[in-house]
Amino acid sequence: MIFTSDFETRHIKEAVQNRSVAGNVVLETSVIGKIQGIQFSGDLFLVNGNKAKQTNTVYLKRFPFTTLMNTTLWELRIDYAKMTDNRLGFGKKLIWEREGETE
């Protein structure tokens, strides 16, 4: 996953100290049958070197408005993800782990 964030944000300051990160994205709903979300963990890296030019080109193509911004690109290498989707059945969870990784 590639995203942009400033060095002065709390999450980047903390990730620079410890690149192992975790997060979640959840659809806000009060209807139990519509709950959807993903939990993930992995390592965060500053995109630099040879990869930076190619990544920046792809990112700017997808988000052209960022051309006018001073952006810093980060790569989140996801090693574990768990998606909950109650639309598939109450408490339905799909788990993905990078091969050779453990939780």
Side-chain angles (χ1 to χ4, degrees):
M1 177 186 307
I2 302 294
F3 67 95
T4 182
S5 189
D6 190 278
F7 277 98
E8 297 304 311
T9 61
R10 177 181 172 187
H11 62 274
I12 294 300
K13 285 181 181 179
E14 292 177 0
V16 167
Q17 299 298 315
N18 180 358
R19 72 178 188 191
S20 295
V21 298
N24 65 61
V25 180
V26 181
L27 177 66
E28 208 172 303
T29 181
S30 59
V31 180
I32 291 174
K34 291 185 177 182
I35 291 174
Q36 293 175 274
I38 186 168
Q39 297 174 331
F40 56 87
S41 61
D43 291 325
L44 189 64
F45 301 94
L46 177 64
V47 177
N48 57 22
N50 294 334
K51 192 173 188 178
K53 185 174 182 179
Q54 177 186 6
T55 303
N56 195 49
T57 300
V58 172
Y59 191 86
L60 291 175
K61 185 176 180 182
R62 174 67 175 92
F63 302 104
F65 59 89
T66 61
T67 304
L68 303 173
M69 302 166 64
N70 183 14
T71 59
T72 302
L73 293 178
W74 299 88
E75 175 184 355
L76 174 58
R77 181 183 183 266
I78 296 174
D79 295 321
Y80 173 85
K82 177 175 74 172
M83 184 182 83
T84 300
D85 190 343
N86 281 357
R87 297 171 312 153
L88 302 175
F90 182 75
K92 178 66 177 176
K93 295 179 184 354
L94 303 172
I95 296 176
W96 175 86
E97 288 186 79
R98 186 174 301 283
E99 220 171 278
E101 302 289 328
T102 58
E103 186 176 9

